[in-house]
Amino acid sequence: DVSSGKPLKLSSKDKKEFVVERKHAFISTLVKTSLENDDKAEEVPIPGVTGAILELVVNYMKEHKGVEPPIIEKPLRSKVMKDVCPHKWDADYIDKIGETRQQLYDLILAANYMDIKSLLHLGCAKVASLIKGQPLEKIKEILDPNQGAKKDDAQADAKPAAAAEKKDAKDDKKK
């Protein structure tokens, strides 16, 4: 029986393992389909998702107990997730993840890979809330996961160049 109370182990691509109730894992169509093909399975490998992100997905599964919450209305009425999410927990959850842009993008990819529609829509709504009302340059910055790293690199590259120019200027004065 696919919906038996036996726990299920989900294993990530970096071999981290998470135990979740089977019925809670059924929010993922990927997991549900895997178990329909082998209802005695005690473990489902999730090779497309890292352990850190799978842990976030498992937290979502446990909170929703296998029941997909309603999809967030579009267009967003507000940039504040608490105003657009039917569940306060979802708003707090996605706001915390959204603090690290790459983590948010990885969660969206995991939700897509594992076919969890409500989590995919929640992640996309968070991205939409970040770009809503922003000028084009800011939107480009938000949507480019490497943008922060590029800025840091550019600043780091500029410092040694500026220091070298000052040194050259001092050397010229000595002559």
mmCIF file of all heavy atoms in Angstrom, residues 112-143:
data_model
loop_
_atom_site.group_PDB
_atom_site.id
_atom_site.type_symbol
_atom_site.label_atom_id
_atom_site.label_comp_id
_atom_site.label_asym_id
_atom_site.label_seq_id
_atom_site.Cartn_x
_atom_site.Cartn_y
_atom_site.Cartn_z
ATOM 1 N N ASN A 112 10.772 22.293 -9.117
ATOM 2 C CA ASN A 112 10.464 21.921 -10.492
ATOM 3 C C ASN A 112 10.879 20.467 -10.744
ATOM 4 O O ASN A 112 10.102 19.677 -11.281
ATOM 5 C CB ASN A 112 11.178 22.871 -11.455
ATOM 6 C CG ASN A 112 10.771 22.644 -12.884
ATOM 7 O OD1 ASN A 112 9.586 22.581 -13.207
ATOM 8 N ND2 ASN A 112 11.749 22.485 -13.756
ATOM 9 N N TYR A 113 12.088 20.109 -10.335
ATOM 10 C CA TYR A 113 12.617 18.758 -10.532
ATOM 11 C C TYR A 113 11.747 17.716 -9.831
ATOM 12 O O TYR A 113 11.430 16.678 -10.393
ATOM 13 C CB TYR A 113 14.056 18.694 -10.003
ATOM 14 C CG TYR A 113 14.693 17.340 -10.095
ATOM 15 C CD1 TYR A 113 15.264 16.888 -11.283
ATOM 16 C CD2 TYR A 113 14.737 16.495 -8.988
ATOM 17 C CE1 TYR A 113 15.852 15.640 -11.375
ATOM 18 C CE2 TYR A 113 15.325 15.241 -9.068
ATOM 19 C CZ TYR A 113 15.874 14.821 -10.259
ATOM 20 O OH TYR A 113 16.445 13.576 -10.344
ATOM 21 N N MET A 114 11.344 18.028 -8.587
ATOM 22 C CA MET A 114 10.547 17.082 -7.797
ATOM 23 C C MET A 114 9.056 17.203 -8.092
ATOM 24 O O MET A 114 8.256 16.454 -7.548
ATOM 25 C CB MET A 114 10.812 17.286 -6.306
ATOM 26 C CG MET A 114 12.239 16.934 -5.916
ATOM 27 S SD MET A 114 12.571 17.208 -4.169
ATOM 28 C CE MET A 114 11.600 15.880 -3.428
ATOM 29 N N ASP A 115 8.696 18.144 -8.937
ATOM 30 C CA ASP A 115 7.309 18.372 -9.352
ATOM 31 C C ASP A 115 6.396 18.634 -8.147
ATOM 32 O O ASP A 115 5.468 17.878 -7.876
ATOM 33 C CB ASP A 115 6.805 17.197 -10.198
ATOM 34 C CG ASP A 115 5.592 17.564 -11.044
ATOM 35 O OD1 ASP A 115 5.085 18.708 -10.907
ATOM 36 O OD2 ASP A 115 5.130 16.715 -11.832
ATOM 37 N N ILE A 116 6.738 19.716 -7.429
ATOM 38 C CA ILE A 116 5.910 20.182 -6.304
ATOM 39 C C ILE A 116 5.386 21.552 -6.718
ATOM 40 O O ILE A 116 6.040 22.573 -6.527
ATOM 41 C CB ILE A 116 6.728 20.285 -4.997
ATOM 42 C CG1 ILE A 116 7.439 18.962 -4.694
ATOM 43 C CG2 ILE A 116 5.822 20.709 -3.836
ATOM 44 C CD1 ILE A 116 8.395 19.025 -3.509
ATOM 45 N N LYS A 117 4.208 21.553 -7.343
ATOM 46 C CA LYS A 117 3.681 22.778 -7.953
ATOM 47 C C LYS A 117 3.547 23.945 -6.976
ATOM 48 O O LYS A 117 3.936 25.064 -7.281
ATOM 49 C CB LYS A 117 2.342 22.502 -8.631
ATOM 50 C CG LYS A 117 2.501 21.773 -9.944
ATOM 51 C CD LYS A 117 1.214 21.707 -10.721
ATOM 52 C CE LYS A 117 1.365 21.046 -12.066
ATOM 53 N NZ LYS A 117 2.271 19.915 -12.127
ATOM 54 N N SER A 118 3.004 23.675 -5.790
ATOM 55 C CA SER A 118 2.773 24.777 -4.840
ATOM 56 C C SER A 118 4.092 25.405 -4.390
ATOM 57 O O SER A 118 4.182 26.619 -4.234
ATOM 58 C CB SER A 118 1.975 24.292 -3.634
ATOM 59 O OG SER A 118 2.655 23.222 -2.988
ATOM 60 N N LEU A 119 5.142 24.598 -4.210
ATOM 61 C CA LEU A 119 6.450 25.127 -3.804
ATOM 62 C C LEU A 119 7.096 25.893 -4.955
ATOM 63 O O LEU A 119 7.700 26.947 -4.750
ATOM 64 C CB LEU A 119 7.359 23.992 -3.322
ATOM 65 C CG LEU A 119 8.742 24.391 -2.804
ATOM 66 C CD1 LEU A 119 8.638 25.423 -1.688
ATOM 67 C CD2 LEU A 119 9.507 23.155 -2.328
ATOM 68 N N LEU A 120 6.926 25.395 -6.166
ATOM 69 C CA LEU A 120 7.435 26.085 -7.356
ATOM 70 C C LEU A 120 6.777 27.462 -7.479
ATOM 71 O O LEU A 120 7.460 28.478 -7.662
ATOM 72 C CB LEU A 120 7.159 25.240 -8.609
ATOM 73 C CG LEU A 120 7.596 25.827 -9.941
ATOM 74 C CD1 LEU A 120 9.100 26.041 -9.993
ATOM 75 C CD2 LEU A 120 7.152 24.924 -11.093
ATOM 76 N N HIS A 121 5.460 27.512 -7.313
ATOM 77 C CA HIS A 121 4.736 28.792 -7.402
ATOM 78 C C HIS A 121 5.119 29.733 -6.264
ATOM 79 O O HIS A 121 5.230 30.942 -6.473
ATOM 80 C CB HIS A 121 3.220 28.556 -7.420
ATOM 81 C CG HIS A 121 2.722 28.056 -8.740
ATOM 82 N ND1 HIS A 121 2.365 28.896 -9.765
ATOM 83 C CD2 HIS A 121 2.548 26.789 -9.205
ATOM 84 C CE1 HIS A 121 1.983 28.176 -10.807
ATOM 85 N NE2 HIS A 121 2.090 26.891 -10.492
ATOM 86 N N LEU A 122 5.351 29.173 -5.070
ATOM 87 C CA LEU A 122 5.761 29.987 -3.927
ATOM 88 C C LEU A 122 7.123 30.637 -4.199
ATOM 89 O O LEU A 122 7.302 31.834 -3.991
ATOM 90 C CB LEU A 122 5.817 29.125 -2.656
ATOM 91 C CG LEU A 122 6.243 29.827 -1.364
ATOM 92 C CD1 LEU A 122 5.257 30.928 -0.981
ATOM 93 C CD2 LEU A 122 6.372 28.808 -0.234
ATOM 94 N N GLY A 123 8.065 29.847 -4.701
ATOM 95 C CA GLY A 123 9.395 30.380 -5.022
ATOM 96 C C GLY A 123 9.341 31.442 -6.107
ATOM 97 O O GLY A 123 9.981 32.497 -5.999
ATOM 98 N N CYS A 124 8.563 31.167 -7.148
ATOM 99 C CA CYS A 124 8.440 32.139 -8.245
ATOM 100 C C CYS A 124 7.749 33.419 -7.779
ATOM 101 O O CYS A 124 8.117 34.522 -8.204
ATOM 102 C CB CYS A 124 7.700 31.516 -9.423
ATOM 103 S SG CYS A 124 8.648 30.224 -10.249
ATOM 104 N N ALA A 125 6.764 33.282 -6.882
ATOM 105 C CA ALA A 125 6.088 34.465 -6.334
ATOM 106 C C ALA A 125 7.080 35.306 -5.534
ATOM 107 O O ALA A 125 7.032 36.542 -5.580
ATOM 108 C CB ALA A 125 4.908 34.050 -5.452
ATOM 109 N N LYS A 126 8.003 34.653 -4.827
ATOM 110 C CA LYS A 126 9.017 35.389 -4.060
ATOM 111 C C LYS A 126 9.910 36.179 -5.014
ATOM 112 O O LYS A 126 10.196 37.357 -4.776
ATOM 113 C CB LYS A 126 9.852 34.420 -3.197
ATOM 114 C CG LYS A 126 10.967 35.104 -2.428
ATOM 115 C CD LYS A 126 10.441 36.141 -1.451
ATOM 116 C CE LYS A 126 11.555 36.871 -0.741
ATOM 117 N NZ LYS A 126 11.066 37.949 0.101
ATOM 118 N N VAL A 127 10.340 35.553 -6.112
ATOM 119 C CA VAL A 127 11.161 36.263 -7.102
ATOM 120 C C VAL A 127 10.367 37.439 -7.672
ATOM 121 O O VAL A 127 10.889 38.551 -7.793
ATOM 122 C CB VAL A 127 11.639 35.321 -8.233
ATOM 123 C CG1 VAL A 127 12.342 36.095 -9.336
ATOM 124 C CG2 VAL A 127 12.564 34.241 -7.668
ATOM 125 N N ALA A 128 9.096 37.196 -7.988
ATOM 126 C CA ALA A 128 8.244 38.273 -8.521
ATOM 127 C C ALA A 128 8.140 39.424 -7.516
ATOM 128 O O ALA A 128 8.181 40.597 -7.908
ATOM 129 C CB ALA A 128 6.856 37.733 -8.853
ATOM 130 N N SER A 129 8.055 39.084 -6.218
ATOM 131 C CA SER A 129 7.949 40.145 -5.202
ATOM 132 C C SER A 129 9.247 40.955 -5.125
ATOM 133 O O SER A 129 9.217 42.143 -4.820
ATOM 134 C CB SER A 129 7.609 39.557 -3.827
ATOM 135 O OG SER A 129 8.735 38.968 -3.219
ATOM 136 N N LEU A 130 10.372 40.310 -5.413
ATOM 137 C CA LEU A 130 11.663 41.013 -5.377
ATOM 138 C C LEU A 130 11.807 41.996 -6.539
ATOM 139 O O LEU A 130 12.425 43.046 -6.403
ATOM 140 C CB LEU A 130 12.823 40.006 -5.417
ATOM 141 C CG LEU A 130 12.987 39.103 -4.196
ATOM 142 C CD1 LEU A 130 14.015 38.015 -4.479
ATOM 143 C CD2 LEU A 130 13.380 39.914 -2.970
ATOM 144 N N ILE A 131 11.238 41.633 -7.708
ATOM 145 C CA ILE A 131 11.431 42.488 -8.889
ATOM 146 C C ILE A 131 10.271 43.465 -9.127
ATOM 147 O O ILE A 131 10.429 44.419 -9.878
ATOM 148 C CB ILE A 131 11.691 41.654 -10.170
ATOM 149 C CG1 ILE A 131 10.485 40.788 -10.542
ATOM 150 C CG2 ILE A 131 12.934 40.823 -10.025
ATOM 151 C CD1 ILE A 131 10.640 40.058 -11.861
ATOM 152 N N LYS A 132 9.148 43.237 -8.453
ATOM 153 C CA LYS A 132 7.962 44.090 -8.652
ATOM 154 C C LYS A 132 8.307 45.562 -8.402
ATOM 155 O O LYS A 132 8.803 45.931 -7.345
ATOM 156 C CB LYS A 132 6.860 43.634 -7.700
ATOM 157 C CG LYS A 132 5.515 44.288 -7.923
ATOM 158 C CD LYS A 132 4.483 43.690 -6.973
ATOM 159 C CE LYS A 132 3.156 44.367 -7.050
ATOM 160 N NZ LYS A 132 2.309 43.881 -8.123
ATOM 161 N N GLY A 133 8.074 46.402 -9.399
ATOM 162 C CA GLY A 133 8.269 47.845 -9.256
ATOM 163 C C GLY A 133 9.721 48.301 -9.317
ATOM 164 O O GLY A 133 10.002 49.464 -9.074
ATOM 165 N N GLN A 134 10.638 47.400 -9.662
ATOM 166 C CA GLN A 134 12.061 47.764 -9.712
ATOM 167 C C GLN A 134 12.444 48.244 -11.111
ATOM 168 O O GLN A 134 11.879 47.785 -12.106
ATOM 169 C CB GLN A 134 12.935 46.551 -9.350
ATOM 170 C CG GLN A 134 12.740 46.035 -7.944
ATOM 171 C CD GLN A 134 13.314 46.965 -6.888
ATOM 172 O OE1 GLN A 134 14.047 47.892 -7.186
ATOM 173 N NE2 GLN A 134 12.952 46.720 -5.645
ATOM 174 N N PRO A 135 13.446 49.129 -11.210
ATOM 175 C CA PRO A 135 13.940 49.530 -12.530
ATOM 176 C C PRO A 135 14.686 48.359 -13.192
ATOM 177 O O PRO A 135 15.143 47.444 -12.504
ATOM 178 C CB PRO A 135 14.893 50.696 -12.233
ATOM 179 C CG PRO A 135 15.237 50.564 -10.786
ATOM 180 C CD PRO A 135 14.110 49.837 -10.119
ATOM 181 N N LEU A 136 14.828 48.419 -14.507
ATOM 182 C CA LEU A 136 15.409 47.326 -15.285
ATOM 183 C C LEU A 136 16.775 46.879 -14.773
ATOM 184 O O LEU A 136 17.028 45.686 -14.632
ATOM 185 C CB LEU A 136 15.507 47.736 -16.769
ATOM 186 C CG LEU A 136 16.066 46.660 -17.699
ATOM 187 C CD1 LEU A 136 15.195 45.407 -17.656
ATOM 188 C CD2 LEU A 136 16.168 47.180 -19.113
ATOM 189 N N GLU A 137 17.666 47.827 -14.469
ATOM 190 C CA GLU A 137 19.010 47.454 -13.996
ATOM 191 C C GLU A 137 18.943 46.648 -12.700
ATOM 192 O O GLU A 137 19.670 45.687 -12.525
ATOM 193 C CB GLU A 137 19.889 48.699 -13.809
ATOM 194 C CG GLU A 137 20.410 49.275 -15.121
ATOM 195 C CD GLU A 137 21.095 48.241 -16.020
ATOM 196 O OE1 GLU A 137 22.005 47.541 -15.533
ATOM 197 O OE2 GLU A 137 20.724 48.134 -17.198
ATOM 198 N N LYS A 138 18.047 47.048 -11.802
ATOM 199 C CA LYS A 138 17.892 46.341 -10.521
ATOM 200 C C LYS A 138 17.314 44.944 -10.762
ATOM 201 O O LYS A 138 17.734 43.977 -10.124
ATOM 202 C CB LYS A 138 16.986 47.169 -9.598
ATOM 203 C CG LYS A 138 16.771 46.560 -8.234
ATOM 204 C CD LYS A 138 17.988 46.692 -7.344
ATOM 205 C CE LYS A 138 17.678 46.206 -5.942
ATOM 206 N NZ LYS A 138 18.845 45.854 -5.191
ATOM 207 N N ILE A 139 16.384 44.824 -11.713
ATOM 208 C CA ILE A 139 15.795 43.522 -12.049
ATOM 209 C C ILE A 139 16.884 42.591 -12.589
ATOM 210 O O ILE A 139 16.971 41.431 -12.193
ATOM 211 C CB ILE A 139 14.635 43.668 -13.063
ATOM 212 C CG1 ILE A 139 13.456 44.370 -12.395
ATOM 213 C CG2 ILE A 139 14.218 42.312 -13.623
ATOM 214 C CD1 ILE A 139 12.330 44.739 -13.332
ATOM 215 N N LYS A 140 17.746 43.112 -13.469
ATOM 216 C CA LYS A 140 18.849 42.303 -14.009
ATOM 217 C C LYS A 140 19.735 41.802 -12.881
ATOM 218 O O LYS A 140 20.151 40.647 -12.862
ATOM 219 C CB LYS A 140 19.684 43.120 -14.994
ATOM 220 C CG LYS A 140 19.014 43.341 -16.329
ATOM 221 C CD LYS A 140 19.936 44.165 -17.213
ATOM 222 C CE LYS A 140 19.309 44.513 -18.535
ATOM 223 N NZ LYS A 140 20.166 45.400 -19.331
ATOM 224 N N GLU A 141 20.015 42.692 -11.929
ATOM 225 C CA GLU A 141 20.869 42.351 -10.785
ATOM 226 C C GLU A 141 20.209 41.250 -9.940
ATOM 227 O O GLU A 141 20.868 40.299 -9.522
ATOM 228 C CB GLU A 141 21.071 43.612 -9.949
ATOM 229 C CG GLU A 141 22.108 43.503 -8.868
ATOM 230 C CD GLU A 141 22.236 44.815 -8.111
ATOM 231 O OE1 GLU A 141 22.507 45.860 -8.744
ATOM 232 O OE2 GLU A 141 22.045 44.774 -6.885
ATOM 233 N N ILE A 142 18.906 41.363 -9.712
ATOM 234 C CA ILE A 142 18.174 40.392 -8.897
ATOM 235 C C ILE A 142 18.147 39.025 -9.588
ATOM 236 O O ILE A 142 18.339 38.001 -8.941
ATOM 237 C CB ILE A 142 16.730 40.885 -8.619
ATOM 238 C CG1 ILE A 142 16.771 42.077 -7.663
ATOM 239 C CG2 ILE A 142 15.849 39.772 -8.061
ATOM 240 C CD1 ILE A 142 15.469 42.862 -7.585
ATOM 241 N N LEU A 143 17.922 39.027 -10.886
ATOM 242 C CA LEU A 143 17.767 37.756 -11.608
ATOM 243 C C LEU A 143 19.095 37.074 -11.940
ATOM 244 O O LEU A 143 19.101 35.901 -12.288
ATOM 245 C CB LEU A 143 16.952 37.966 -12.890
ATOM 246 C CG LEU A 143 15.503 38.389 -12.664
ATOM 247 C CD1 LEU A 143 14.791 38.574 -13.992
ATOM 248 C CD2 LEU A 143 14.760 37.400 -11.785
#
